[in-house]
Amino acid sequence: MSYQNILFEAQAGIARLTLNRPDKLNSFTTAMNAELLSALDAVQHDNTIRVLVISGMGRAFCAGQDLADPAMAIGPLQPDIGNVIEEHYKPLILALQTLRVPTVAMVNGIAAGAGVSLALACDLVIAAKSAYFLQAFSKIGLIPDTGGTWFLPQRVGMARAMGLAMLADKLPADKAQDWGLIWQAVDDGELSATVDKLAAQLAQMPTRALVATRLAMHAAPNHTLEQQLGVEAGFMRELGWRDDFKEGVAAFQQKRAPKFTGQ
Ligand code: T3D
């Protein structure tokens, strides 16, 4: 598929997906949502890819739903935006959460609305210190969507999640790091090199174990400790038969660096 609203490339095990509507702060249109899903599907079916990095072109990561898109039309032709969520945003977040490789959001600038949720749906979020996170929804009479009501309280606790969502204040990247919303805020000039290094590191790691870590962590809030111990046993059972586990143990015993294949 050729893309008009995103850039997508894969090299040396690292896939890079860049939202590419910089003049509209990379806000989501229906067309861009479809391209995102297509790119995620390509990652899912390419065994040579070991990590995905998502970023935005220009001064924003993503400003959420494009408010000028027909999907947000008001008046007689107004669509049911519940359907828009069901048809576009829900599959996007579920595709990211079940992706077979670890994911990194490189938040190069403004993240607002569903753009914040897109970043938070990635496994690791690295932001430029000049970036900020804005729960813009209450300003237009909506609620945090695209997983926002799920991600926010888990990461920052209910008091901060409620404050962010209701008041829609900009949360600077370094404070987002302090609050545990994101993994790391770095100087703007270091963002690209930091993410390149991280992506290269992840691309050499045991891919299936990283993804199982995501799945297990995200399953935990719905489980008792006993249930979660069972979830862990299930993943360990599966991973224990894998090449990467055998390689990891062999490398340890032979006092050498492991060579993981993602299998
Ligand atoms: O349909 C459904 O499914 C509902 C789903 C909803 C999910 C959501 O994400 S709802 C939340 C949508 N997002 C917003 O409400 C954020 C709107 N944008 C802003 O509040 C501001 O742009 C920012 C605070 C993010 C940045 O402000 P600033 O001053 O740095 O930039 P700007 O001048 O406002 O924006 C620059 C351009 O980008 C401007 O276009 P122009 O005038 O130069 O042609 C602006 O209109 C455009 N832009 C920014 N955000 C959006 C957008 N255009 C369309 N949709 C946007 N979300």
Side-chain angles (χ1 to χ4, degrees):
M1 179 169 177
S2 71
Y3 299 115
Q4 269 73 54
N5 301 283
I6 64 171
L7 304 176
F8 181 66
E9 56 160 21
Q11 212 176 5
I14 302 171
R16 294 176 194 275
L17 194 169
T18 308
L19 310 183
N20 191 25
R21 303 182 66 240
D23 54 329
K24 298 299 175 192
L25 304 187
N26 302 317
S27 51
F28 293 106
T29 57
T30 304
M32 189 165 89
N33 282 333
E35 292 183 12
L36 284 167
L37 278 174
S38 165
L40 293 182
D41 191 57
V43 173
Q44 193 72 337
H45 291 97
D46 183 344
N47 283 335
T48 67
I49 294 174
R50 304 275 299 275
V51 59
L52 170 68
V53 177
I54 301 182
S55 65
M57 186 65 78
R59 71 184 179 94
F61 174 71
C62 174
Q65 169 66 39
D66 184 322
L67 299 178
D69 193 62
M72 288 296 276
I74 45 177
L77 295 178
Q78 185 167 330
D80 180 334
I81 62 173
N83 290 344
V84 178
I85 302 289
E86 292 279 0
E87 287 164 20
H88 299 291
Y89 289 98
K90 188 173 166 185
L92 175 63
I93 296 305
L94 292 180
L96 268 173
Q97 294 283 286
T98 54
L99 206 65
R100 44 161 287 281
V101 299
T103 52
V104 178
M106 177 168 107
V107 181
N108 49 297
I110 299 163
V116 180
S117 304
L118 175 68
L120 298 184
C122 294
D123 298 323
L124 297 170
V125 184
I126 316 290
K129 282 191 179 162
S130 66
Y132 64 80
F133 297 84
L134 171 63
Q135 295 296 320
F137 306 92
S138 66
K139 293 187 176 187
I140 56 168
L142 295 177
I143 66 162
D145 68 1
T146 318
T149 58
W150 197 81
F151 295 121
L152 277 177
Q154 283 187 24
R155 304 269 169 101
V156 301
M158 193 58 82
R160 285 170 168 165
M162 291 294 280
L164 290 171
M166 286 197 166
L167 305 177
D169 292 336
K170 293 175 183 173
L171 182 70
D174 50 2
K175 203 166 177 182
Q177 178 191 297
D178 292 346
W179 283 13
L181 185 71
I182 65 170
W183 173 237
Q184 203 179 8
V186 299
D187 289 335
D188 288 22
E190 290 174 15
L191 180 66
S192 178
T194 303
V195 171
D196 283 353
K197 192 171 163 206
L198 176 67
Q201 178 186 346
L202 291 167
Q204 300 299 318
M205 291 182 70
T207 313
R208 288 173 187 270
L210 300 181
V211 171
T213 301
R214 173 210 300 150
L215 297 173
M217 294 263 195
H218 287 180
N222 298 324
H223 292 148
T224 62
L225 175 59
E226 188 176 355
Q227 288 169 329
Q228 189 64 12
L229 289 166
V231 169
E232 291 171 4
F235 280 120
M236 296 297 258
R237 182 173 293 116
E238 196 245 314
L239 292 168
W241 298 111
R242 294 282 174 191
D243 293 349
D244 280 346
F245 169 66
K246 294 171 192 167
E247 167 63 6
V249 174
F252 177 80
Q253 290 171 345
Q254 295 160 18
K255 298 189 186 302
R256 61 171 173 80
K259 281 187 138 182
F260 295 118
T261 60
Q263 297 306 314

PDB file of all heavy atoms in Angstrom, residues 2-32:
ATOM      1  N   SER A   2       0.503   2.256  -0.796  1.00  0.00           N
ATOM      2  CA  SER A   2       1.234   3.526  -0.735  1.00  0.00           C
ATOM      3  C   SER A   2       0.487   4.461   0.216  1.00  0.00           C
ATOM      4  O   SER A   2      -0.747   4.450   0.276  1.00  0.00           O
ATOM      5  CB  SER A   2       1.356   4.137  -2.130  1.00  0.00           C
ATOM      6  OG  SER A   2       0.114   4.599  -2.554  1.00  0.00           O
ATOM      7  N   TYR A   3       1.274   5.239   0.958  1.00  0.00           N
ATOM      8  CA  TYR A   3       0.690   6.051   2.021  1.00  0.00           C
ATOM      9  C   TYR A   3       0.753   7.541   1.687  1.00  0.00           C
ATOM     10  O   TYR A   3       1.758   8.025   1.171  1.00  0.00           O
ATOM     11  CB  TYR A   3       1.445   5.781   3.326  1.00  0.00           C
ATOM     12  CG  TYR A   3       1.376   4.331   3.777  1.00  0.00           C
ATOM     13  CD1 TYR A   3       2.523   3.541   3.828  1.00  0.00           C
ATOM     14  CD2 TYR A   3       0.173   3.772   4.166  1.00  0.00           C
ATOM     15  CE1 TYR A   3       2.458   2.218   4.251  1.00  0.00           C
ATOM     16  CE2 TYR A   3       0.110   2.443   4.591  1.00  0.00           C
ATOM     17  CZ  TYR A   3       1.252   1.679   4.634  1.00  0.00           C
ATOM     18  OH  TYR A   3       1.187   0.376   5.045  1.00  0.00           O
ATOM     19  N   GLN A   4      -0.322   8.252   2.001  1.00  0.00           N
ATOM     20  CA  GLN A   4      -0.355   9.700   1.803  1.00  0.00           C
ATOM     21  C   GLN A   4      -0.218  10.469   3.111  1.00  0.00           C
ATOM     22  O   GLN A   4       0.169  11.637   3.128  1.00  0.00           O
ATOM     23  CB  GLN A   4      -1.684  10.128   1.155  1.00  0.00           C
ATOM     24  CG  GLN A   4      -1.655  10.154  -0.367  1.00  0.00           C
ATOM     25  CD  GLN A   4      -1.658   8.748  -0.933  1.00  0.00           C
ATOM     26  OE1 GLN A   4      -2.517   7.949  -0.616  1.00  0.00           O
ATOM     27  NE2 GLN A   4      -0.666   8.447  -1.762  1.00  0.00           N
ATOM     28  N   ASN A   5      -0.548   9.823   4.218  1.00  0.00           N
ATOM     29  CA  ASN A   5      -0.631  10.540   5.502  1.00  0.00           C
ATOM     30  C   ASN A   5       0.387  10.072   6.535  1.00  0.00           C
ATOM     31  O   ASN A   5       0.469  10.640   7.623  1.00  0.00           O
ATOM     32  CB  ASN A   5      -2.036  10.359   6.093  1.00  0.00           C
ATOM     33  CG  ASN A   5      -3.095  10.879   5.152  1.00  0.00           C
ATOM     34  OD1 ASN A   5      -3.290  12.083   5.064  1.00  0.00           O
ATOM     35  ND2 ASN A   5      -3.754   9.989   4.431  1.00  0.00           N
ATOM     36  N   ILE A   6       1.093   9.006   6.206  1.00  0.00           N
ATOM     37  CA  ILE A   6       2.149   8.523   7.095  1.00  0.00           C
ATOM     38  C   ILE A   6       3.368   8.175   6.249  1.00  0.00           C
ATOM     39  O   ILE A   6       3.262   8.009   5.025  1.00  0.00           O
ATOM     40  CB  ILE A   6       1.722   7.265   7.897  1.00  0.00           C
ATOM     41  CG1 ILE A   6       1.453   6.083   6.957  1.00  0.00           C
ATOM     42  CG2 ILE A   6       0.495   7.547   8.756  1.00  0.00           C
ATOM     43  CD1 ILE A   6       1.239   4.754   7.696  1.00  0.00           C
ATOM     44  N   LEU A   7       4.511   8.081   6.918  1.00  0.00           N
ATOM     45  CA  LEU A   7       5.695   7.494   6.290  1.00  0.00           C
ATOM     46  C   LEU A   7       5.923   6.171   6.992  1.00  0.00           C
ATOM     47  O   LEU A   7       5.735   6.072   8.212  1.00  0.00           O
ATOM     48  CB  LEU A   7       6.922   8.397   6.477  1.00  0.00           C
ATOM     49  CG  LEU A   7       6.808   9.838   5.982  1.00  0.00           C
ATOM     50  CD1 LEU A   7       8.069  10.619   6.322  1.00  0.00           C
ATOM     51  CD2 LEU A   7       6.529   9.868   4.479  1.00  0.00           C
ATOM     52  N   PHE A   8       6.330   5.175   6.236  1.00  0.00           N
ATOM     53  CA  PHE A   8       6.558   3.864   6.846  1.00  0.00           C
ATOM     54  C   PHE A   8       7.740   3.195   6.165  1.00  0.00           C
ATOM     55  O   PHE A   8       7.790   3.109   4.941  1.00  0.00           O
ATOM     56  CB  PHE A   8       5.306   2.986   6.697  1.00  0.00           C
ATOM     57  CG  PHE A   8       5.469   1.624   7.318  1.00  0.00           C
ATOM     58  CD1 PHE A   8       5.612   1.488   8.685  1.00  0.00           C
ATOM     59  CD2 PHE A   8       5.499   0.486   6.522  1.00  0.00           C
ATOM     60  CE1 PHE A   8       5.781   0.236   9.265  1.00  0.00           C
ATOM     61  CE2 PHE A   8       5.664  -0.771   7.095  1.00  0.00           C
ATOM     62  CZ  PHE A   8       5.803  -0.892   8.471  1.00  0.00           C
ATOM     63  N   GLU A   9       8.706   2.797   6.979  1.00  0.00           N
ATOM     64  CA  GLU A   9       9.866   2.087   6.426  1.00  0.00           C
ATOM     65  C   GLU A   9      10.359   1.081   7.452  1.00  0.00           C
ATOM     66  O   GLU A   9      10.121   1.240   8.652  1.00  0.00           O
ATOM     67  CB  GLU A   9      10.995   3.070   6.081  1.00  0.00           C
ATOM     68  CG  GLU A   9      11.414   3.919   7.256  1.00  0.00           C
ATOM     69  CD  GLU A   9      12.801   4.540   7.107  1.00  0.00           C
ATOM     70  OE1 GLU A   9      13.277   4.651   5.978  1.00  0.00           O
ATOM     71  OE2 GLU A   9      13.378   4.897   8.143  1.00  0.00           O
ATOM     72  N   ALA A  10      11.037   0.066   6.975  1.00  0.00           N
ATOM     73  CA  ALA A  10      11.609  -0.932   7.878  1.00  0.00           C
ATOM     74  C   ALA A  10      13.012  -1.263   7.395  1.00  0.00           C
ATOM     75  O   ALA A  10      13.232  -1.495   6.197  1.00  0.00           O
ATOM     76  CB  ALA A  10      10.751  -2.186   7.905  1.00  0.00           C
ATOM     77  N   GLN A  11      13.946  -1.235   8.353  1.00  0.00           N
ATOM     78  CA  GLN A  11      15.343  -1.494   8.017  1.00  0.00           C
ATOM     79  C   GLN A  11      16.041  -2.075   9.241  1.00  0.00           C
ATOM     80  O   GLN A  11      15.832  -1.571  10.357  1.00  0.00           O
ATOM     81  CB  GLN A  11      16.025  -0.175   7.631  1.00  0.00           C
ATOM     82  CG  GLN A  11      17.103  -0.346   6.615  1.00  0.00           C
ATOM     83  CD  GLN A  11      17.695   0.993   6.193  1.00  0.00           C
ATOM     84  OE1 GLN A  11      17.357   2.034   6.736  1.00  0.00           O
ATOM     85  NE2 GLN A  11      18.582   0.953   5.237  1.00  0.00           N
ATOM     86  N   ALA A  12      16.843  -3.073   9.028  1.00  0.00           N
ATOM     87  CA  ALA A  12      17.640  -3.673  10.106  1.00  0.00           C
ATOM     88  C   ALA A  12      16.785  -4.031  11.318  1.00  0.00           C
ATOM     89  O   ALA A  12      17.174  -3.795  12.462  1.00  0.00           O
ATOM     90  CB  ALA A  12      18.772  -2.732  10.506  1.00  0.00           C
ATOM     91  N   GLY A  13      15.603  -4.544  11.050  1.00  0.00           N
ATOM     92  CA  GLY A  13      14.735  -4.996  12.138  1.00  0.00           C
ATOM     93  C   GLY A  13      13.931  -3.891  12.801  1.00  0.00           C
ATOM     94  O   GLY A  13      13.136  -4.151  13.704  1.00  0.00           O
ATOM     95  N   ILE A  14      14.136  -2.642  12.382  1.00  0.00           N
ATOM     96  CA  ILE A  14      13.449  -1.517  13.021  1.00  0.00           C
ATOM     97  C   ILE A  14      12.456  -0.900  12.028  1.00  0.00           C
ATOM     98  O   ILE A  14      12.853  -0.426  10.967  1.00  0.00           O
ATOM     99  CB  ILE A  14      14.456  -0.433  13.474  1.00  0.00           C
ATOM    100  CG1 ILE A  14      15.471  -1.041  14.436  1.00  0.00           C
ATOM    101  CG2 ILE A  14      13.725   0.757  14.107  1.00  0.00           C
ATOM    102  CD1 ILE A  14      16.638  -0.121  14.782  1.00  0.00           C
ATOM    103  N   ALA A  15      11.156  -0.925  12.398  1.00  0.00           N
ATOM    104  CA  ALA A  15      10.146  -0.265  11.566  1.00  0.00           C
ATOM    105  C   ALA A  15       9.899   1.128  12.140  1.00  0.00           C
ATOM    106  O   ALA A  15       9.835   1.302  13.360  1.00  0.00           O
ATOM    107  CB  ALA A  15       8.857  -1.070  11.560  1.00  0.00           C
ATOM    108  N   ARG A  16       9.789   2.095  11.245  1.00  0.00           N
ATOM    109  CA  ARG A  16       9.532   3.469  11.681  1.00  0.00           C
ATOM    110  C   ARG A  16       8.273   3.963  10.993  1.00  0.00           C
ATOM    111  O   ARG A  16       8.179   3.958   9.769  1.00  0.00           O
ATOM    112  CB  ARG A  16      10.703   4.387  11.313  1.00  0.00           C
ATOM    113  CG  ARG A  16      11.959   4.043  12.062  1.00  0.00           C
ATOM    114  CD  ARG A  16      13.136   4.899  11.599  1.00  0.00           C
ATOM    115  NE  ARG A  16      14.381   4.344  12.090  1.00  0.00           N
ATOM    116  CZ  ARG A  16      14.892   4.586  13.286  1.00  0.00           C
ATOM    117  NH1 ARG A  16      14.274   5.430  14.092  1.00  0.00           N
ATOM    118  NH2 ARG A  16      16.008   4.024  13.670  1.00  0.00           N
ATOM    119  N   LEU A  17       7.334   4.381  11.824  1.00  0.00           N
ATOM    120  CA  LEU A  17       6.064   4.886  11.321  1.00  0.00           C
ATOM    121  C   LEU A  17       5.965   6.361  11.761  1.00  0.00           C
ATOM    122  O   LEU A  17       5.998   6.647  12.962  1.00  0.00           O
ATOM    123  CB  LEU A  17       4.933   4.047  11.932  1.00  0.00           C
ATOM    124  CG  LEU A  17       3.527   4.140  11.350  1.00  0.00           C
ATOM    125  CD1 LEU A  17       2.662   3.033  11.921  1.00  0.00           C
ATOM    126  CD2 LEU A  17       2.900   5.480  11.587  1.00  0.00           C
ATOM    127  N   THR A  18       5.881   7.248  10.781  1.00  0.00           N
ATOM    128  CA  THR A  18       5.861   8.682  11.095  1.00  0.00           C
ATOM    129  C   THR A  18       4.547   9.284  10.618  1.00  0.00           C
ATOM    130  O   THR A  18       4.219   9.205   9.421  1.00  0.00           O
ATOM    131  CB  THR A  18       7.039   9.402  10.397  1.00  0.00           C
ATOM    132  OG1 THR A  18       8.248   8.708  10.710  1.00  0.00           O
ATOM    133  CG2 THR A  18       7.142  10.854  10.855  1.00  0.00           C
ATOM    134  N   LEU A  19       3.789   9.861  11.545  1.00  0.00           N
ATOM    135  CA  LEU A  19       2.566  10.559  11.151  1.00  0.00           C
ATOM    136  C   LEU A  19       2.990  11.780  10.344  1.00  0.00           C
ATOM    137  O   LEU A  19       3.868  12.538  10.761  1.00  0.00           O
ATOM    138  CB  LEU A  19       1.769  10.987  12.385  1.00  0.00           C
ATOM    139  CG  LEU A  19       1.513   9.896  13.437  1.00  0.00           C
ATOM    140  CD1 LEU A  19       0.642  10.440  14.562  1.00  0.00           C
ATOM    141  CD2 LEU A  19       0.867   8.675  12.811  1.00  0.00           C
ATOM    142  N   ASN A  20       2.365  11.969   9.189  1.00  0.00           N
ATOM    143  CA  ASN A  20       2.924  12.955   8.260  1.00  0.00           C
ATOM    144  C   ASN A  20       1.876  13.952   7.754  1.00  0.00           C
ATOM    145  O   ASN A  20       1.626  14.056   6.567  1.00  0.00           O
ATOM    146  CB  ASN A  20       3.599  12.210   7.096  1.00  0.00           C
ATOM    147  CG  ASN A  20       4.433  13.131   6.237  1.00  0.00           C
ATOM    148  OD1 ASN A  20       4.901  14.172   6.705  1.00  0.00           O
ATOM    149  ND2 ASN A  20       4.613  12.765   4.979  1.00  0.00           N
ATOM    150  N   ARG A  21       1.249  14.650   8.706  1.00  0.00           N
ATOM    151  CA  ARG A  21       0.364  15.776   8.359  1.00  0.00           C
ATOM    152  C   ARG A  21       0.804  16.967   9.223  1.00  0.00           C
ATOM    153  O   ARG A  21       0.043  17.459  10.067  1.00  0.00           O
ATOM    154  CB  ARG A  21      -1.107  15.430   8.640  1.00  0.00           C
ATOM    155  CG  ARG A  21      -1.601  14.180   7.922  1.00  0.00           C
ATOM    156  CD  ARG A  21      -3.079  13.927   8.199  1.00  0.00           C
ATOM    157  NE  ARG A  21      -3.917  14.955   7.644  1.00  0.00           N
ATOM    158  CZ  ARG A  21      -4.738  15.735   8.352  1.00  0.00           C
ATOM    159  NH1 ARG A  21      -4.833  15.601   9.663  1.00  0.00           N
ATOM    160  NH2 ARG A  21      -5.451  16.658   7.763  1.00  0.00           N
ATOM    161  N   PRO A  22       2.051  17.397   9.035  1.00  0.00           N
ATOM    162  CA  PRO A  22       2.611  18.375   9.981  1.00  0.00           C
ATOM    163  C   PRO A  22       1.833  19.683  10.042  1.00  0.00           C
ATOM    164  O   PRO A  22       1.753  20.300  11.117  1.00  0.00           O
ATOM    165  CB  PRO A  22       4.039  18.596   9.472  1.00  0.00           C
ATOM    166  CG  PRO A  22       4.060  18.081   8.073  1.00  0.00           C
ATOM    167  CD  PRO A  22       3.015  17.022   7.995  1.00  0.00           C
ATOM    168  N   ASP A  23       1.243  20.119   8.917  1.00  0.00           N
ATOM    169  CA  ASP A  23       0.514  21.400   8.935  1.00  0.00           C
ATOM    170  C   ASP A  23      -0.748  21.318   9.794  1.00  0.00           C
ATOM    171  O   ASP A  23      -1.266  22.345  10.253  1.00  0.00           O
ATOM    172  CB  ASP A  23       0.174  21.858   7.505  1.00  0.00           C
ATOM    173  CG  ASP A  23      -0.569  20.796   6.725  1.00  0.00           C
ATOM    174  OD1 ASP A  23      -0.329  19.587   6.981  1.00  0.00           O
ATOM    175  OD2 ASP A  23      -1.403  21.150   5.879  1.00  0.00           O
ATOM    176  N   LYS A  24      -1.242  20.125  10.052  1.00  0.00           N
ATOM    177  CA  LYS A  24      -2.415  19.932  10.932  1.00  0.00           C
ATOM    178  C   LYS A  24      -2.000  19.181  12.192  1.00  0.00           C
ATOM    179  O   LYS A  24      -2.796  18.466  12.810  1.00  0.00           O
ATOM    180  CB  LYS A  24      -3.529  19.173  10.194  1.00  0.00           C
ATOM    181  CG  LYS A  24      -4.064  19.919   8.971  1.00  0.00           C
ATOM    182  CD  LYS A  24      -4.675  21.258   9.355  1.00  0.00           C
ATOM    183  CE  LYS A  24      -5.095  22.067   8.133  1.00  0.00           C
ATOM    184  NZ  LYS A  24      -5.422  23.480   8.479  1.00  0.00           N
ATOM    185  N   LEU A  25      -0.750  19.364  12.559  1.00  0.00           N
ATOM    186  CA  LEU A  25      -0.185  18.746  13.780  1.00  0.00           C
ATOM    187  C   LEU A  25      -0.440  17.237  13.829  1.00  0.00           C
ATOM    188  O   LEU A  25      -0.656  16.670  14.890  1.00  0.00           O
ATOM    189  CB  LEU A  25      -0.718  19.443  15.042  1.00  0.00           C
ATOM    190  CG  LEU A  25      -0.502  20.972  15.121  1.00  0.00           C
ATOM    191  CD1 LEU A  25      -0.913  21.497  16.497  1.00  0.00           C
ATOM    192  CD2 LEU A  25       0.933  21.357  14.822  1.00  0.00           C
ATOM    193  N   ASN A  26      -0.401  16.630  12.640  1.00  0.00           N
ATOM    194  CA  ASN A  26      -0.525  15.154  12.525  1.00  0.00           C
ATOM    195  C   ASN A  26      -1.814  14.620  13.142  1.00  0.00           C
ATOM    196  O   ASN A  26      -1.851  13.492  13.673  1.00  0.00           O
ATOM    197  CB  ASN A  26       0.692  14.459  13.154  1.00  0.00           C
ATOM    198  CG  ASN A  26       1.982  14.902  12.521  1.00  0.00           C
ATOM    199  OD1 ASN A  26       2.066  15.027  11.300  1.00  0.00           O
ATOM    200  ND2 ASN A  26       2.995  15.195  13.330  1.00  0.00           N
ATOM    201  N   SER A  27      -2.862  15.458  13.090  1.00  0.00           N
ATOM    202  CA  SER A  27      -4.144  14.998  13.641  1.00  0.00           C
ATOM    203  C   SER A  27      -4.690  13.859  12.776  1.00  0.00           C
ATOM    204  O   SER A  27      -4.412  13.756  11.583  1.00  0.00           O
ATOM    205  CB  SER A  27      -5.139  16.158  13.742  1.00  0.00           C
ATOM    206  OG  SER A  27      -5.228  16.839  12.513  1.00  0.00           O
ATOM    207  N   PHE A  28      -5.480  13.010  13.418  1.00  0.00           N
ATOM    208  CA  PHE A  28      -6.009  11.804  12.760  1.00  0.00           C
ATOM    209  C   PHE A  28      -7.161  12.147  11.822  1.00  0.00           C
ATOM    210  O   PHE A  28      -8.151  12.747  12.246  1.00  0.00           O
ATOM    211  CB  PHE A  28      -6.617  10.837  13.779  1.00  0.00           C
ATOM    212  CG  PHE A  28      -5.666  10.192  14.730  1.00  0.00           C
ATOM    213  CD1 PHE A  28      -5.625  10.606  16.052  1.00  0.00           C
ATOM    214  CD2 PHE A  28      -4.851   9.143  14.342  1.00  0.00           C
ATOM    215  CE1 PHE A  28      -4.781   9.985  16.965  1.00  0.00           C
ATOM    216  CE2 PHE A  28      -3.997   8.518  15.249  1.00  0.00           C
ATOM    217  CZ  PHE A  28      -3.961   8.949  16.564  1.00  0.00           C
ATOM    218  N   THR A  29      -7.066  11.691  10.588  1.00  0.00           N
ATOM    219  CA  THR A  29      -8.223  11.674   9.696  1.00  0.00           C
ATOM    220  C   THR A  29      -8.626  10.213   9.496  1.00  0.00           C
ATOM    221  O   THR A  29      -7.860   9.305   9.845  1.00  0.00           O
ATOM    222  CB  THR A  29      -7.874  12.263   8.317  1.00  0.00           C
ATOM    223  OG1 THR A  29      -6.783  11.501   7.801  1.00  0.00           O
ATOM    224  CG2 THR A  29      -7.491  13.729   8.414  1.00  0.00           C
ATOM    225  N   THR A  30      -9.782  10.024   8.905  1.00  0.00           N
ATOM    226  CA  THR A  30     -10.213   8.656   8.608  1.00  0.00           C
ATOM    227  C   THR A  30      -9.189   7.967   7.717  1.00  0.00           C
ATOM    228  O   THR A  30      -8.844   6.797   7.921  1.00  0.00           O
ATOM    229  CB  THR A  30     -11.594   8.686   7.912  1.00  0.00           C
ATOM    230  OG1 THR A  30     -12.493   9.402   8.766  1.00  0.00           O
ATOM    231  CG2 THR A  30     -12.133   7.298   7.659  1.00  0.00           C
ATOM    232  N   ALA A  31      -8.668   8.739   6.737  1.00  0.00           N
ATOM    233  CA  ALA A  31      -7.676   8.157   5.819  1.00  0.00           C
ATOM    234  C   ALA A  31      -6.400   7.785   6.570  1.00  0.00           C
ATOM    235  O   ALA A  31      -5.816   6.714   6.337  1.00  0.00           O
ATOM    236  CB  ALA A  31      -7.360   9.146   4.700  1.00  0.00           C
ATOM    237  N   MET A  32      -5.962   8.646   7.484  1.00  0.00           N
ATOM    238  CA  MET A  32      -4.729   8.336   8.212  1.00  0.00           C
ATOM    239  C   MET A  32      -4.937   7.127   9.120  1.00  0.00           C
ATOM    240  O   MET A  32      -4.042   6.278   9.250  1.00  0.00           O
ATOM    241  CB  MET A  32      -4.228   9.531   9.024  1.00  0.00           C
ATOM    242  CG  MET A  32      -2.840   9.302   9.608  1.00  0.00           C
ATOM    243  SD  MET A  32      -2.033  10.791  10.197  1.00  0.00           S
ATOM    244  CE  MET A  32      -2.625  10.836  11.879  1.00  0.00           C
TER     245      MET A  32
END
